[in-house]
Amino acid sequence: MVAADELSVYDWLNYVLPIETEHYWFATAYLIMYLFAPLLAAGVKAVERRTLQMIIGVMALYFCVWKSVLPASLATDRYGYDYGWFLFLFLVAAYIRLYGLPKLEKKRNAAILYVGTSMGIFVLMVVSGILAEVLPPFAYYMDMPDTYNHILCLLSSIGLFMLFKDMKPWEGKAVEVIRHLAPYTFGVYLLHEHILVRYRWMHWLGVDAVWGNWKFIPHMIGCVAIVYAAGTVVDWVRAWIFRGVKVLFGRSENGQA
């Protein structure tokens, strides 16, 4: 861990203003999208279908298509780690909800899209790696196909979504356990992605010691369980404290304290 006197002003800003500094990129992007959600929802209902299609098409070109086909890094490409991409996904989801995707309503077509684009990602990465040995510019494509805003990744996610869109939830004891744990899942993300923990927890759990041998997979499963359990416990404690504060202030407002 880093001592308090070793922290810079920017370090403290990361802790005090996590949204503005993108301490947690997902939380930053999601919060901004959430703030715009009412405006986007109203706008989607107000515009004609053709207009919505054009908006989505232009945004797809800007955020997705160009970066997927050009053999160069674009200055505006954030790999899907920004609120602009989240706003685009909101519009895509809204379009699917309003108008559907008739050709993908058949589970077979959705499965073909998902498997085909997923294999496309794999093949493109492998081929790019081979070509990069002869033509260095192809090294750009080695890590690019699995970025969030790559066209293949987008199509793959749409296919997977359509595949499970109409799935009916099941019930049982396992589902009850999931419902109780689900509210604390975000706490797991916040804990293991904290800037003081993000690059250290793998070292603490000895990941380097098993890298490259058969122990890696069972060790990885154990690490996931430990991280999830620790994050769940921490967030449960936070929720317990907040419930106590809420009760305390509630009693004070009613004149009972």
Side-chain angles (χ1 to χ4, degrees):
M1 298 295 288
V2 179
D5 58 355
E6 297 178 0
L7 297 175
S8 66
V9 174
Y10 184 75
D11 290 328
W12 284 108
L13 285 176
N14 270 288
Y15 311 144
V16 178
L17 303 172
I19 300 300
E20 290 81 354
T21 58
E22 291 190 318
H23 185 156
Y24 302 99
W25 74 264
F26 178 84
T28 299
Y30 185 84
L31 177 61
I32 295 177
M33 183 204 70
Y34 191 80
L35 291 174
F36 276 93
L39 295 176
L40 292 174
V44 166
K45 295 177 182 178
V47 300
E48 297 180 351
R49 180 176 182 177
R50 180 61 178 170
T51 302
L52 181 58
Q53 289 176 339
M54 292 178 62
I55 293 173
I56 292 176
V58 171
M59 292 184 70
L61 285 173
Y62 178 81
F63 286 109
C64 184
V65 177
W66 295 133
K67 67 82 53 78
S68 301
V69 299
L70 295 176
S73 178
L74 301 177
T76 56
D77 183 20
R78 298 290 303 278
Y79 310 126
Y81 296 103
D82 61 325
Y83 63 87
W85 181 246
F86 276 43
L87 297 180
F88 169 74
L89 293 179
F90 185 99
L91 294 180
V92 172
Y95 181 90
I96 294 175
R97 182 174 185 177
L98 287 175
Y99 306 110
L101 298 173
K103 293 184 179 180
L104 295 180
E105 291 296 337
K106 293 182 178 180
K107 301 303 180 184
R108 178 175 177 274
N109 292 343
I112 291 175
L113 177 63
Y114 171 69
V115 174
T117 50
S118 297
M119 289 300 298
I121 293 172
F122 174 75
V123 170
L124 185 56
M125 293 177 68
V126 171
V127 172
S128 298
I130 296 174
L131 293 176
E133 297 180 0
V134 181
L135 300 172
F138 275 93
Y140 169 78
Y141 279 111
M142 290 177 60
D143 299 320
M144 195 53 57
D146 63 347
T147 54
Y148 293 141
N149 62 338
H150 193 277
I151 184 64
L152 292 179
C153 190
L154 172 64
L155 294 175
S156 179
S157 62
I158 291 176
L160 187 63
F161 174 79
M162 296 300 293
L163 189 61
F164 290 95
K165 179 173 69 71
D166 299 319
M167 185 181 70
K168 296 181 180 179
W170 62 91
E171 296 295 336
K173 292 183 178 179
V175 176
E176 288 299 320
V177 173
I178 293 174
R179 288 197 181 107
H180 280 90
L181 293 177
Y184 309 113
T185 303
F186 188 57
V188 178
Y189 165 72
L190 294 179
L191 176 67
H192 92 283
E193 269 294 292
H194 191 280
I195 199 167
L196 291 179
V197 179
R198 182 184 304 165
Y199 304 109
R200 293 180 172 85
W201 69 265
M202 289 179 284
H203 174 70
W204 295 338
L205 297 180
V207 174
D208 293 339
V210 297
W211 184 262
N213 62 55
W214 66 270
K215 296 180 182 179
F216 177 76
I217 293 180
H219 188 274
M220 177 184 66
I221 296 174
C223 288
V224 170
I226 292 173
V227 170
Y228 186 85
T232 300
V233 170
V234 170
D235 203 47
W236 181 87
V237 172
R238 175 205 59 79
W240 178 76
I241 293 174
F242 274 63
R243 284 195 296 268
V245 172
K246 183 178 180 180
V247 171
L248 178 63
F249 276 87
R251 289 179 178 177
S252 298
E253 290 176 359
N254 295 328
Q256 298 178 3

